[in-house]
Amino acid sequence: MASLSIARSPFFLILSFAVLLLHSCYADPDPLQDFCVANLEAQNISVNGFTCKPSSTVTSDDFFFAGLAKEGDTGNIFGLNVSSGDVLNFPGLNTLGVSMNRVDLAPGGTNPPHSHPRATELVFVIDGRVLVGFVTTSNALFSKVLNAGESFVIPKGLIHFQFNVGVGKALLITAFDSQLPGVQIIPVALFASSPSIPNQVLAKAFQVDEQIVKGIKSKFGSS
């Protein structure tokens, strides 16, 4: 009887309502309209999305994107090209909570350690042979060599990478549960930030001489 009376008490009901309310705050709200094509030129500030274009100006082209159709240029220090299909390039994704990228890797090329702070990532290999892995917050590495037609999932926010271990080019499609997953490329963030992280900080962090830090920064056009 005591447990029954507690369950019926005002305090218990208020606490239960608060828990449900807090839980609902962690989930993205369902759209309240069929679509909200992003007006990327609007100047007003918005939260968790962009201002909608007037429905009268929306066309079929707003829901079409061809930016992943062509192979990207991998002639850079990473042997990598990422073609982004997020809301900034594909306005029809606004409020829909999805996006995808095309990743081209030259032989020996890598998508260096990076993270997406706002999204889980699903990697699908179209062509080639690619080592994919992520590191947990307890510094455990989970990795797998993927062949064409195989997939690997990267939990939200964790540092991960892709590395072409095949003899030819590799092509991947990466899908996200966010219209704008964001990306922080670890070597670029550390060695090419603006303003620059002090050399002595990086030297201490990596337990190397400051001259080595300067040498790495020069690779990224920083000093």
Side-chain angles (χ1 to χ4, degrees), residues 181-219:
V183 62
Q184 189 164 40
I185 302 171
I186 306 305
V188 175
L190 292 177
F191 296 100
S193 66
S194 179
S196 179
I197 297 175
N199 292 342
Q200 58 267 37
V201 173
L202 295 173
K204 188 70 172 182
F206 288 97
Q207 294 294 289
V208 297
D209 188 88
E210 286 189 34
Q211 292 302 316
I212 294 178
V213 171
K214 291 180 180 179
I216 296 174
K217 283 187 172 182
S218 69
K219 300 288 185 180

Short mmCIF file of all heavy atoms in Angstrom, two decimals, residues 181-219:
data_model
loop_
_atom_site.label_atom_id
_atom_site.label_comp_id
_atom_site.label_asym_id
_atom_site.label_seq_id
_atom_site.Cartn_x
_atom_site.Cartn_y
_atom_site.Cartn_z
N PRO A 181 26.43 17.77 -39.88
CA PRO A 181 27.14 17.03 -38.82
C PRO A 181 28.34 17.75 -38.24
O PRO A 181 28.74 17.49 -37.12
CB PRO A 181 27.55 15.73 -39.51
CG PRO A 181 27.55 16.03 -40.97
CD PRO A 181 26.46 17.05 -41.16
N GLY A 182 28.91 18.69 -39.00
CA GLY A 182 30.12 19.36 -38.54
C GLY A 182 31.31 18.41 -38.62
O GLY A 182 31.15 17.19 -38.62
N VAL A 183 32.50 18.97 -38.70
CA VAL A 183 33.71 18.13 -38.75
C VAL A 183 34.86 18.89 -38.12
O VAL A 183 35.01 20.10 -38.32
CB VAL A 183 34.06 17.71 -40.19
CG1 VAL A 183 34.37 18.91 -41.06
CG2 VAL A 183 35.22 16.73 -40.20
N GLN A 184 35.65 18.18 -37.33
CA GLN A 184 36.87 18.73 -36.78
C GLN A 184 38.00 17.77 -37.13
O GLN A 184 38.07 16.66 -36.59
CB GLN A 184 36.77 18.93 -35.27
CG GLN A 184 37.95 19.72 -34.69
CD GLN A 184 37.68 20.24 -33.31
OE1 GLN A 184 37.08 19.54 -32.49
NE2 GLN A 184 38.11 21.46 -33.02
N ILE A 185 38.85 18.18 -38.08
CA ILE A 185 39.97 17.35 -38.53
C ILE A 185 41.11 17.56 -37.55
O ILE A 185 41.65 18.67 -37.42
CB ILE A 185 40.38 17.73 -39.96
CG1 ILE A 185 39.19 17.57 -40.90
CG2 ILE A 185 41.55 16.87 -40.44
CD1 ILE A 185 39.43 18.13 -42.29
N ILE A 186 41.50 16.52 -36.86
CA ILE A 186 42.41 16.65 -35.72
C ILE A 186 43.74 17.30 -36.08
O ILE A 186 44.14 18.28 -35.43
CB ILE A 186 42.63 15.29 -35.04
CG1 ILE A 186 41.28 14.64 -34.66
CG2 ILE A 186 43.51 15.44 -33.80
CD1 ILE A 186 40.38 15.50 -33.82
N PRO A 187 44.49 16.81 -37.10
CA PRO A 187 45.78 17.45 -37.39
C PRO A 187 45.64 18.91 -37.81
O PRO A 187 46.48 19.75 -37.46
CB PRO A 187 46.36 16.59 -38.51
CG PRO A 187 45.22 15.84 -39.08
CD PRO A 187 44.27 15.64 -37.96
N VAL A 188 44.57 19.23 -38.54
CA VAL A 188 44.36 20.62 -38.96
C VAL A 188 43.99 21.49 -37.75
O VAL A 188 44.49 22.61 -37.60
CB VAL A 188 43.26 20.69 -40.03
CG1 VAL A 188 42.94 22.14 -40.39
CG2 VAL A 188 43.68 19.92 -41.28
N ALA A 189 43.15 20.96 -36.88
CA ALA A 189 42.75 21.72 -35.70
C ALA A 189 43.95 22.01 -34.80
O ALA A 189 44.05 23.10 -34.22
CB ALA A 189 41.69 20.94 -34.92
N LEU A 190 44.86 21.06 -34.69
CA LEU A 190 46.00 21.23 -33.80
C LEU A 190 47.12 22.06 -34.40
O LEU A 190 47.75 22.86 -33.71
CB LEU A 190 46.54 19.86 -33.39
CG LEU A 190 45.64 19.01 -32.50
CD1 LEU A 190 46.28 17.64 -32.25
CD2 LEU A 190 45.36 19.70 -31.18
N PHE A 191 47.38 21.86 -35.71
CA PHE A 191 48.57 22.46 -36.31
C PHE A 191 48.27 23.58 -37.31
O PHE A 191 49.19 24.15 -37.88
CB PHE A 191 49.41 21.38 -36.99
CG PHE A 191 49.96 20.37 -36.02
CD1 PHE A 191 49.35 19.14 -35.87
CD2 PHE A 191 51.08 20.65 -35.25
CE1 PHE A 191 49.85 18.20 -34.96
CE2 PHE A 191 51.59 19.74 -34.35
CZ PHE A 191 50.97 18.51 -34.19
N ALA A 192 47.00 23.89 -37.52
CA ALA A 192 46.66 24.96 -38.46
C ALA A 192 45.52 25.83 -37.96
O ALA A 192 44.78 26.41 -38.76
CB ALA A 192 46.32 24.37 -39.82
N SER A 193 45.37 25.92 -36.64
CA SER A 193 44.31 26.77 -36.09
C SER A 193 44.68 28.24 -36.28
O SER A 193 45.83 28.58 -36.55
CB SER A 193 44.12 26.47 -34.60
OG SER A 193 45.28 26.83 -33.86
N SER A 194 43.69 29.10 -36.12
CA SER A 194 43.94 30.54 -36.25
C SER A 194 43.21 31.27 -35.12
O SER A 194 41.98 31.22 -35.05
CB SER A 194 43.44 31.05 -37.60
OG SER A 194 43.65 32.43 -37.73
N PRO A 195 43.95 31.93 -34.21
CA PRO A 195 45.42 31.97 -34.13
C PRO A 195 46.00 30.60 -33.80
O PRO A 195 45.29 29.70 -33.35
CB PRO A 195 45.69 32.98 -33.01
CG PRO A 195 44.37 33.33 -32.43
CD PRO A 195 43.29 32.69 -33.17
N SER A 196 47.30 30.48 -34.00
CA SER A 196 47.97 29.21 -33.84
C SER A 196 48.11 28.81 -32.37
O SER A 196 48.34 29.66 -31.50
CB SER A 196 49.36 29.29 -34.48
OG SER A 196 50.06 28.09 -34.33
N ILE A 197 47.95 27.51 -32.10
CA ILE A 197 48.25 27.00 -30.75
C ILE A 197 49.74 27.17 -30.51
O ILE A 197 50.55 26.82 -31.37
CB ILE A 197 47.85 25.51 -30.63
CG1 ILE A 197 46.34 25.34 -30.81
CG2 ILE A 197 48.27 24.95 -29.27
CD1 ILE A 197 45.88 23.89 -30.83
N PRO A 198 50.16 27.69 -29.37
CA PRO A 198 51.59 27.91 -29.11
C PRO A 198 52.40 26.62 -29.28
O PRO A 198 51.96 25.53 -28.88
CB PRO A 198 51.62 28.38 -27.65
CG PRO A 198 50.28 29.03 -27.45
CD PRO A 198 49.32 28.20 -28.27
N ASN A 199 53.57 26.77 -29.89
CA ASN A 199 54.42 25.60 -30.15
C ASN A 199 54.76 24.84 -28.88
O ASN A 199 54.83 23.61 -28.88
CB ASN A 199 55.71 26.05 -30.85
CG ASN A 199 55.46 26.56 -32.26
OD1 ASN A 199 54.41 26.29 -32.84
ND2 ASN A 199 56.41 27.30 -32.81
N GLN A 200 54.99 25.58 -27.79
CA GLN A 200 55.38 24.90 -26.57
C GLN A 200 54.26 24.03 -26.00
O GLN A 200 54.51 23.00 -25.36
CB GLN A 200 55.88 25.89 -25.51
CG GLN A 200 54.89 26.98 -25.12
CD GLN A 200 55.07 28.24 -25.92
OE1 GLN A 200 55.36 28.19 -27.12
NE2 GLN A 200 54.91 29.40 -25.26
N VAL A 201 53.01 24.44 -26.27
CA VAL A 201 51.87 23.63 -25.82
C VAL A 201 51.85 22.29 -26.57
O VAL A 201 51.70 21.22 -25.97
CB VAL A 201 50.54 24.39 -26.04
CG1 VAL A 201 49.35 23.49 -25.75
CG2 VAL A 201 50.50 25.63 -25.17
N LEU A 202 51.99 22.35 -27.89
CA LEU A 202 51.98 21.13 -28.69
C LEU A 202 53.21 20.28 -28.43
O LEU A 202 53.13 19.04 -28.40
CB LEU A 202 51.87 21.49 -30.18
CG LEU A 202 50.56 22.17 -30.59
CD1 LEU A 202 50.63 22.63 -32.04
CD2 LEU A 202 49.38 21.23 -30.38
N ALA A 203 54.36 20.92 -28.23
CA ALA A 203 55.58 20.17 -27.93
C ALA A 203 55.43 19.39 -26.63
O ALA A 203 55.82 18.22 -26.54
CB ALA A 203 56.78 21.11 -27.87
N LYS A 204 54.85 20.04 -25.64
CA LYS A 204 54.63 19.37 -24.36
C LYS A 204 53.60 18.25 -24.49
O LYS A 204 53.76 17.15 -23.93
CB LYS A 204 54.15 20.40 -23.33
CG LYS A 204 54.05 19.87 -21.90
CD LYS A 204 55.41 19.60 -21.31
CE LYS A 204 55.31 19.27 -19.83
NZ LYS A 204 56.64 19.03 -19.22
N ALA A 205 52.53 18.51 -25.24
CA ALA A 205 51.46 17.52 -25.40
C ALA A 205 51.95 16.26 -26.09
O ALA A 205 51.58 15.14 -25.71
CB ALA A 205 50.30 18.13 -26.18
N PHE A 206 52.81 16.42 -27.13
CA PHE A 206 53.28 15.27 -27.89
C PHE A 206 54.67 14.80 -27.46
O PHE A 206 55.21 13.86 -28.04
CB PHE A 206 53.29 15.62 -29.39
CG PHE A 206 51.92 15.71 -29.98
CD1 PHE A 206 51.28 16.93 -30.13
CD2 PHE A 206 51.24 14.57 -30.37
CE1 PHE A 206 50.01 17.03 -30.67
CE2 PHE A 206 49.96 14.64 -30.91
CZ PHE A 206 49.34 15.87 -31.07
N GLN A 207 55.23 15.49 -26.45
CA GLN A 207 56.54 15.11 -25.92
C GLN A 207 57.61 15.09 -27.00
O GLN A 207 58.36 14.13 -27.16
CB GLN A 207 56.45 13.74 -25.22
CG GLN A 207 55.58 13.75 -23.97
CD GLN A 207 56.16 14.61 -22.86
OE1 GLN A 207 57.18 14.25 -22.24
NE2 GLN A 207 55.54 15.75 -22.60
N VAL A 208 57.66 16.17 -27.79
CA VAL A 208 58.65 16.32 -28.85
C VAL A 208 59.28 17.70 -28.75
O VAL A 208 58.82 18.57 -28.00
CB VAL A 208 58.03 16.13 -30.25
CG1 VAL A 208 57.47 14.72 -30.42
CG2 VAL A 208 56.93 17.18 -30.51
N ASP A 209 60.35 17.91 -29.51
CA ASP A 209 61.01 19.21 -29.55
C ASP A 209 60.15 20.21 -30.33
O ASP A 209 59.40 19.84 -31.25
CB ASP A 209 62.38 19.07 -30.23
CG ASP A 209 63.20 20.34 -30.14
OD1 ASP A 209 63.92 20.52 -29.15
OD2 ASP A 209 63.10 21.16 -31.08
N GLU A 210 60.23 21.48 -29.98
CA GLU A 210 59.45 22.50 -30.66
C GLU A 210 59.77 22.60 -32.15
O GLU A 210 58.92 22.99 -32.94
CB GLU A 210 59.67 23.87 -30.00
CG GLU A 210 58.97 24.01 -28.65
CD GLU A 210 59.01 25.43 -28.13
OE1 GLU A 210 58.95 26.38 -28.95
OE2 GLU A 210 59.10 25.60 -26.90
N GLN A 211 60.98 22.24 -32.55
CA GLN A 211 61.34 22.26 -33.96
C GLN A 211 60.50 21.27 -34.77
O GLN A 211 60.18 21.51 -35.93
CB GLN A 211 62.84 21.99 -34.14
CG GLN A 211 63.75 23.07 -33.61
CD GLN A 211 63.46 24.42 -34.26
OE1 GLN A 211 63.28 24.53 -35.47
NE2 GLN A 211 63.41 25.47 -33.44
N ILE A 212 60.17 20.16 -34.14
CA ILE A 212 59.31 19.17 -34.81
C ILE A 212 57.91 19.76 -35.00
O ILE A 212 57.29 19.59 -36.06
CB ILE A 212 59.25 17.86 -34.00
CG1 ILE A 212 60.63 17.20 -33.98
CG2 ILE A 212 58.20 16.90 -34.57
CD1 ILE A 212 60.71 15.94 -33.16
N VAL A 213 57.41 20.44 -34.00
CA VAL A 213 56.10 21.09 -34.10
C VAL A 213 56.11 22.12 -35.23
O VAL A 213 55.18 22.18 -36.04
CB VAL A 213 55.72 21.76 -32.77
CG1 VAL A 213 54.46 22.61 -32.94
CG2 VAL A 213 55.51 20.71 -31.68
N LYS A 214 57.17 22.92 -35.30
CA LYS A 214 57.29 23.91 -36.37
C LYS A 214 57.30 23.24 -37.73
O LYS A 214 56.69 23.74 -38.69
CB LYS A 214 58.55 24.75 -36.17
CG LYS A 214 58.51 25.68 -34.97
CD LYS A 214 59.82 26.48 -34.86
CE LYS A 214 59.79 27.42 -33.66
NZ LYS A 214 61.05 28.17 -33.52
N GLY A 215 58.00 22.11 -37.82
CA GLY A 215 58.06 21.38 -39.09
C GLY A 215 56.69 20.86 -39.52
O GLY A 215 56.33 20.94 -40.69
N ILE A 216 55.91 20.37 -38.55
CA ILE A 216 54.56 19.87 -38.87
C ILE A 216 53.66 21.02 -39.28
O ILE A 216 52.91 20.94 -40.26
CB ILE A 216 53.97 19.12 -37.66
CG1 ILE A 216 54.79 17.87 -37.34
CG2 ILE A 216 52.52 18.75 -37.94
CD1 ILE A 216 54.34 17.15 -36.08
N LYS A 217 53.75 22.14 -38.55
CA LYS A 217 52.92 23.30 -38.89
C LYS A 217 53.22 23.80 -40.30
O LYS A 217 52.30 24.24 -41.03
CB LYS A 217 53.15 24.42 -37.87
CG LYS A 217 52.44 24.20 -36.53
CD LYS A 217 52.57 25.43 -35.65
CE LYS A 217 51.73 25.30 -34.40
NZ LYS A 217 51.80 26.51 -33.53
N SER A 218 54.48 23.73 -40.69
CA SER A 218 54.84 24.20 -42.04
C SER A 218 54.17 23.38 -43.13
O SER A 218 53.92 23.87 -44.23
CB SER A 218 56.35 24.18 -42.21
OG SER A 218 56.86 22.85 -42.25
N LYS A 219 53.87 22.11 -42.83
CA LYS A 219 53.18 21.26 -43.80
C LYS A 219 51.76 21.75 -44.07
O LYS A 219 51.18 21.48 -45.11
CB LYS A 219 53.14 19.82 -43.29
CG LYS A 219 54.49 19.17 -43.05
CD LYS A 219 55.21 18.86 -44.33
CE LYS A 219 56.51 18.10 -44.05
NZ LYS A 219 57.25 17.78 -45.30
#
